[in-house]
């Protein structure tokens, strides 16, 4: 890589419902929100439940890989990060495979359905040490949520009882 050339982080997206679409849009719009970044990101592959949908999404968003088998993305040398946007019940098994493959993983919350499974995932990621494991908190840095937190923390709206 030349000195001025940016590293491209290549993402494999599992699932393309509302969150998959949101994550794809967010990746494509990183420069709009953050300006010049020291890296580039590209969603290069998508896995959905039907080949027809995968191919349509890949065409629409300029992805190179369209599949119905998540292992195609997890084991692909063309993928650096697995972005898990599937239904919650599938997260645990998918995370185990992605961690074992040495991929970094962004998983839409939750990692798993039980505390024990989440603990196992964090331990596995720490043990393997090849990649990173992160849970998606889409709203955490949303300006409206940040303002609400500021108001709560400052005491401006009184004691919080329920959200």
């Amino acid at each position: 890589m030349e000195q001025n050339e940016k590293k491209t982080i290549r993402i494999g997206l599992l699932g393309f419902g509302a969150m998959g679409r949101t994550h794809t849009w967010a990746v494509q719009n990183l420069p709009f929100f953050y300006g010049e970044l020291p890296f580039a990101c590209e969603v290069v592959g998508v896995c959905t439940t039907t080949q027809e949908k995968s191919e349509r999404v890949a065409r629409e968003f300029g992805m190179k890989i369209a599949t119905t088998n998540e292992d195609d993305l997890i084991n692909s040398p063309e993928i650096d990060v697995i972005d898990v946007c599937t239904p919650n019940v599938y997260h645990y098994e998918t995370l185990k495979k992605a961690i074992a493959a040495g991929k970094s993983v962004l998983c839409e919350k939750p990692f798993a359905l039980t505390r024990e499974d989440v603990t196992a995932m964090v331990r596995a990621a720490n043990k393997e040490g090849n990649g990173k494991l992160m849970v998606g908190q889409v709203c955490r840095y949303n300006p409206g949520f940040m303002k609400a937190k500021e108001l709560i923390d400052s005491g401006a709206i009184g004691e919080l009882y329920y959200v």
Side-chain angles (χ1 to χ4, degrees):
M1 186 180 324
E2 292 184 27
Q3 190 169 346
N4 293 342
E5 194 175 322
K6 292 181 186 182
K7 174 178 175 42
T8 298
I9 299 168
R10 302 165 304 169
I11 301 167
L13 182 67
L14 306 181
F16 202 81
M19 277 296 103
R21 183 174 288 278
T22 299
H23 286 214
T24 301
W25 180 85
V27 168
Q28 291 180 340
N29 285 282
L30 280 170
F32 177 76
F33 288 99
Y34 298 103
E36 188 68 24
L37 296 169
F39 58 87
C41 287
E42 177 185 7
V43 181
V44 298
V46 64
C47 175
T48 68
T49 54
T50 68
Q51 191 62 34
E52 178 183 65
K53 181 176 181 181
S54 291
E55 289 172 4
R56 179 181 49 77
V57 169
R59 272 192 315 274
E60 183 179 346
F61 291 92
M63 300 171 194
K64 298 172 190 166
I65 304 169
T67 185
T68 60
N69 183 346
E70 68 181 20
D71 294 340
D72 293 344
L73 298 181
I74 290 171
N75 297 313
S76 172
E78 295 183 53
I79 303 291
D80 303 309
V81 175
I82 297 297
D83 185 351
V84 181
C85 295
T86 57
N88 300 348
V89 69
Y90 301 116
H91 291 182
Y92 179 72
E93 293 301 323
T94 299
L95 291 176
K96 283 197 315 189
K97 291 190 288 185
I99 290 167
K103 303 294 181 177
S104 290
V105 181
L106 170 63
C107 182
E108 191 55 44
K109 62 186 181 311
F111 280 154
L113 300 180
T114 69
R115 181 184 354 207
E116 294 77 21
D117 288 348
V118 170
T119 300
M121 287 301 92
V122 171
R123 283 189 182 134
N126 287 334
K127 179 181 173 196
E128 293 295 326
N130 298 327
K132 305 290 183 208
L133 178 61
M134 179 180 165
V135 68
Q137 295 288 341
V138 174
C139 295
R140 182 176 185 161
Y141 297 106
N142 176 294
F145 284 88
M146 290 175 70
K147 184 64 177 179
K149 182 171 180 0
E150 178 186 314
L151 291 170
I152 292 165
D153 289 349
S154 72
I157 61 172
E159 187 175 349
L160 184 65
Y161 291 102
Y162 181 79
V163 174

